Amino acid sequence: MDIAPLIHMPEPLCLIENTNGPLLVNPEALKILSAIRQPVAVVAITGLYRTGKSYLMNKLAGKNKGFSVGSTVQSHTKGIWMWCVPHPKKPNHTLVLLDTEGLGDVEKGDKTNDTHISVLALLLCSTFVYNTMNKIDQGAIDLLHYVTELSHLLRIDTSPNLNRVDDAADFVRICPDLVWTLRDFYLGLEANGQLITADEYLENSLRPKQGTNQHLQNFNLPRLCIQKFFPVKKCFIFDLPTHQKKLAQLETLHNDDLDPKFVQQVAEFCSYIFSNSKTKTLSGGIKASGSHLENLVQTYVNAINSRDLPCMESEILTLAQIKNSAAVQKAIAHYDQQMGQKLQLPTETLQELLDLHKASEKEAIEVFMKNSFKDEDQGYQKKLEMQLAAKQNDFHKRNLEASQNHCSALLQDIFHPLEENVKQGVYSKPGGHCLFIQQRDELKAKYNQEPRKGIQAEEALQKYLESKESMSVTILQTDLALTAMEKEIEGITEEFIKAEAQRLMESLMQHQQMMESRKIFHQEQVRLMETNRVYQEALQQRAMERQLQEEVKKLKEKLQAENRKLHDELQNLPRNDSPDDTCLLL
């Protein structure tokens, strides 16, 4: 059995320094990583500060001391510290241990970098140890969910080829295993009166509940995301290591001074990590070496320092923004898909379009409700409804245009023989106008029988007939002239010619009256459509004004709250401070 080369790191070294400014990478640590040519298994630990993370990492390094183990409420580990040691059970592999500063340090005013440290640890490792106290509760689940979501955003935001996931198998290789460690565990491992294992306890805690209401969706979302992000999950519980008073000297105590059960639990934890910690793998199945890890560190730190990622203070709001924005996009995509599959323009009636929009809108809102997260003021749902209303208006315009284009083409095709007859002088004869009207009415009937002309069918027909009115008048005038000439030649009396002319003139007047009535009917239709359009625009304007009023109201409330907070702080300032004290306050 080959023995892996010795790595000369007698103690941990700071890999990423978390100061009050941007995250800083330690060049000395990068130099060590670049020199590691063999595959690396990266184990990172994170969790709330002062929960004993560093103690476990020292044990994985085979040491009692190394990573700083504090005994007070002051957080010791700042940033990410690295310790590279030969892998105990994998020859020619290096075990890279990453100890992170704790989340929730009360001494730090800005908790943004704290969260980013955990996100970095998650992205860099192949085994992610999540260390919490006492039990698995909603707060711990929400925090882990938030870190996984940010890491997913950061991975997408960096080079698309860096950690690109091509298939499900690749996804499992890239995503780290989750090891959830519960410190000072005091609950009984049982469910429904039956004893359960720690793994079953974790599985039960992450199991979603049945139901579709908003409360259950908020409960299920982080659990489903964690299950998807971590295909492999393991849980360890730890009893209190010793008496409370001795915890301050934990790293100096021998195993004989510790609770035997705790010693056994730590040993089982270490054994599992040594046996199951997988090699850090990149997309495409590439086994990462130290130099690969070095590149990942620099890439992700640069990405965090150059981008405005959400901070810990607004984690719930941030998750809501991420999930609800995505939910709106999914709903819009579903609406577009349904309308694209079912809508055939032009529709026969306006109601057909409205009914299809209503059904697709209902399904889109259901998709949004299923994927939304804490949209308590329904702000994102209102945005969705406004976008759907805009899409409805767009479909209405497209429907009008499609109907107009289809009807124009249909009219040209149907009435083409009539126009050709006019050009060839077929109706330039006595009685030609009656023949023209007869054939025109036959073609109108044929046009009216054509299906799916859309809501512009009648208007398009009237416009076409109006455009050909001069043609009808010319034919009538020619008919009158030729008829008079023919009657004169045949010796028909002048009275008969006048009577016939009067008849033709009455026919012309009746036709003009009919055309005028149709014109009035068309104008009324146009007026009604314009009234409906103005009404729809007014409804949309009022919806936008209501949303604007709500946003202004929220902004005023926020400003009033901040003013009250500032006022209270000013009232609490000392009034008779010495100059030195004043300087300190400043």
Side-chain angles (χ1 to χ4, degrees):
M1 181 177 179
D2 296 332
I3 300 176
L6 293 177
I7 300 171
H8 300 289
M9 282 192 70
E11 59 185 7
L13 185 66
C14 182
L15 174 63
I16 300 170
E17 184 179 355
N18 182 9
T19 62
N20 293 329
L23 299 176
L24 301 177
V25 181
N26 184 359
E28 185 179 351
L30 292 182
K31 185 177 180 180
I32 292 176
L33 286 177
S34 66
I36 301 175
R37 301 300 181 186
Q38 55 190 206
V40 293
V42 186
V43 179
I45 191 167
T46 191
L48 294 177
Y49 87 115
R50 305 306 312 121
T51 54
K53 301 184 299 298
S54 298
Y55 178 84
L56 290 180
M57 299 305 279
N58 286 335
K59 291 301 180 182
L60 290 177
K63 306 290 184 180
N64 289 329
K65 296 182 180 181
F67 291 114
S68 177
V69 179
S71 59
T72 67
V73 295
Q74 183 180 24
S75 176
H76 274 223
T77 308
K78 301 296 183 183
I80 298 181
W81 285 69
M82 175 185 76
W83 203 347
C84 300
V85 298
H87 199 292
K89 292 193 176 182
K90 290 185 178 180
N92 300 320
H93 281 66
T94 297
L95 179 62
V96 179
L97 303 174
L98 300 179
D99 188 19
T100 67
E101 66 179 279
L103 297 170
D105 186 353
V106 295
E107 293 183 358
K108 301 197 69 172
D110 183 7
K111 301 179 178 62
T112 302
N113 282 3
D114 295 357
T115 309
H116 294 168
I117 287 295
S118 294
V119 171
L120 274 173
L122 181 58
L123 288 168
L124 296 175
C125 73
S126 55
T127 300
F128 186 70
V129 182
Y130 186 45
N131 194 68
T132 62
M133 294 297 291
N134 306 135
K135 61 180 180 178
I136 299 176
D137 56 20
Q138 187 64 39
I141 291 175
D142 287 339
L143 181 58
L144 180 58
H145 175 214
Y146 174 64
V147 170
T148 58
E149 286 295 314
L150 279 189
S151 69
H152 180 66
L153 286 177
L154 187 59
R155 176 178 287 152
I156 294 175
D157 204 26
T158 52
S159 173
N161 295 322
L162 182 63
N163 261 342
R164 180 174 53 84
V165 179
D166 295 321
D167 52 39
D170 213 16
F171 179 81
V172 173
R173 287 193 296 267
I174 291 174
C175 284
D177 296 344
L178 172 65
V179 177
W180 197 315
T181 54
L182 289 166
R183 310 299 293 274
D184 303 347
F185 186 76
Y186 60 83
L187 298 178
L189 281 178
E190 62 177 44
N192 300 321
Q194 300 292 325
L195 293 178
I196 60 174
T197 64
D199 291 338
E200 290 171 334
Y201 172 62
L202 174 59
E203 180 182 349
N204 293 341
S205 301
L206 296 179
R207 181 178 293 119
K209 295 181 179 179
Q210 297 295 324
T212 58
N213 63 56
Q214 188 64 49
H215 175 74
L216 287 177
Q217 289 178 18
N218 294 341
F219 177 86
N220 292 338
L221 177 63
R223 288 163 170 79
L224 293 172
C225 290
I226 291 172
Q227 288 187 11
K228 181 179 179 180
F229 194 91
F230 298 105
V232 178
K233 295 173 285 294
K234 182 69 176 178
C235 183
F236 288 94
I237 62 172
F238 298 89
D239 291 349
L240 190 68
T242 185
H243 295 297
Q244 193 74 30
K245 294 182 179 180
K246 292 185 178 181
L247 289 177
Q249 296 84 34
L250 183 61
E251 65 180 7
T252 63
L253 296 178
H254 297 288
N255 287 346
D256 294 340
D257 299 321
L258 300 175
D259 186 303
K261 193 171 183 181
F262 173 78
V263 174
Q264 180 184 354
Q265 292 164 342
V266 172
E268 291 173 352
F269 164 78
C270 292
S271 175
Y272 176 86
I273 295 296
F274 294 151
S275 300
N276 297 278
S277 57
K278 61 184 182 182
T279 303
K280 176 68 177 177
T281 305
L282 306 180
S283 181
I286 300 174
K287 300 298 183 181
S289 64
S291 57
H292 287 121
L293 190 60
E294 173 197 9
N295 292 333
L296 289 180
V297 170
Q298 293 177 314
T299 298
Y300 288 135
V301 170
N302 290 338
I304 286 178
N305 287 338
S306 61
R307 288 162 177 81
D308 185 19
L309 292 178
C311 64
M312 187 68 177
E313 284 292 304
S314 58
E315 62 182 48
I316 298 300
L317 176 61
T318 300
L319 283 175
Q321 292 171 344
I322 294 171
K323 293 299 179 184
N324 292 332
S325 295
V328 170
Q329 294 304 315
K330 287 182 180 179
I332 291 295
H334 181 81
Y335 174 87
D336 290 340
Q337 181 187 38
Q338 292 300 306
M339 294 295 284
Q341 291 176 350
K342 299 178 181 178
L343 179 61
Q344 182 180 353
L345 296 178
T347 59
E348 194 67 42
T349 63
L350 176 60
Q351 192 60 45
E352 180 183 344
L353 174 62
L354 294 178
D355 290 343
L356 182 56
H357 162 77
K358 185 176 180 180
S360 300
E361 180 185 45
K362 180 181 178 182
E363 291 186 17
I365 292 176
E366 289 175 353
V367 170
F368 171 81
M369 296 299 295
K370 182 179 180 180
N371 293 277
S372 63
F373 178 66
K374 291 187 179 297
D375 186 26
E376 296 172 352
D377 60 352
Q378 296 185 329
Y380 283 89
Q381 184 174 343
K382 292 174 183 175
K383 289 181 181 179
L384 170 62
E385 291 171 352
M386 290 184 65
Q387 292 185 40
L388 292 176
K391 284 184 172 290
Q392 179 190 8
N393 291 335
D394 180 62
F395 275 119
H396 180 62
K397 293 177 182 178
R398 289 165 55 188
N399 193 34
L400 289 174
E401 183 179 353
S403 177
Q404 182 63 49
N405 293 339
H406 177 66
C407 290
S408 296
L410 187 62
L411 286 166
Q412 292 295 331
D413 181 60
I414 291 177
F415 282 87
H416 178 71
L418 185 69
E419 295 181 9
E420 285 296 316
N421 287 342
V422 172
K423 292 178 181 179
Q424 295 174 12
V426 174
Y427 309 112
S428 299
K429 62 183 180 181
H433 186 259
C434 290
L435 179 62
F436 171 80
I437 295 299
Q438 177 186 353
Q439 293 185 357
R440 187 194 66 182
D441 289 343
E442 290 175 355
L443 294 178
K444 282 172 57 179
K446 180 179 179 181
Y447 170 80
N448 289 329
Q449 291 174 357
E450 288 290 332
R452 300 203 68 82
K453 295 185 293 295
I455 59 180
Q456 292 292 93
E458 185 62 27
E459 180 178 350
L461 176 60
Q462 295 307 318
K463 286 183 177 180
Y464 176 81
L465 294 177
E466 290 174 3
S467 69
K468 304 301 179 181
E469 183 63 24
S470 60
M471 179 191 299
S472 176
V473 172
T474 301
I475 293 173
L476 176 59
Q477 292 172 345
T478 303
D479 187 356
L480 289 173
L482 293 177
T483 299
M485 185 180 300
E486 184 181 64
K487 295 302 180 183
E488 185 177 355
I489 294 173
E490 293 177 356
I492 299 177
T493 63
E494 184 178 350
E495 289 78 10
F496 179 81
I497 295 175
K498 289 182 179 180
E500 185 66 16
Q502 181 66 27
R503 182 186 67 78
L504 291 174
M505 288 303 296
E506 289 176 355
S507 175
L508 176 61
M509 292 178 62
Q510 289 177 356
H511 175 72
Q512 289 176 338
Q513 289 175 355
M514 180 181 68
M515 293 303 298
E516 183 66 24
S517 298
R518 287 178 176 175
K519 183 177 181 180
I520 293 173
F521 174 74
H522 168 64
Q523 291 174 346
E524 180 64 16
Q525 277 193 323
V526 171
R527 186 188 67 79
L528 289 176
M529 290 178 67
E530 177 64 18
T531 301
N532 182 61
R533 183 188 66 79
V534 172
Y535 174 71
Q536 291 295 331
E537 289 180 352
L539 286 180
Q540 186 172 358
Q541 181 65 26
R542 283 198 295 270
M544 293 177 68
E545 289 174 356
R546 284 196 300 270
Q547 183 181 9
L548 181 59
Q549 289 172 358
E550 290 178 4
E551 292 178 353
V552 170
K553 181 181 178 182
K554 291 179 181 179
L555 181 58
K556 285 181 178 180
E557 291 174 354
K558 182 177 179 181
L559 288 175
Q560 289 173 357
E562 291 178 352
N563 286 337
R564 286 194 299 270
K565 180 178 179 182
L566 180 58
H567 179 268
D568 292 341
E569 291 176 352
L570 290 175
Q571 289 293 328
N572 293 328
L573 286 176
R575 300 181 182 272
N576 297 319
D577 296 324
S578 67
D580 293 338
D581 293 336
T582 304
C583 292
L584 289 175
L585 288 174
L586 291 176

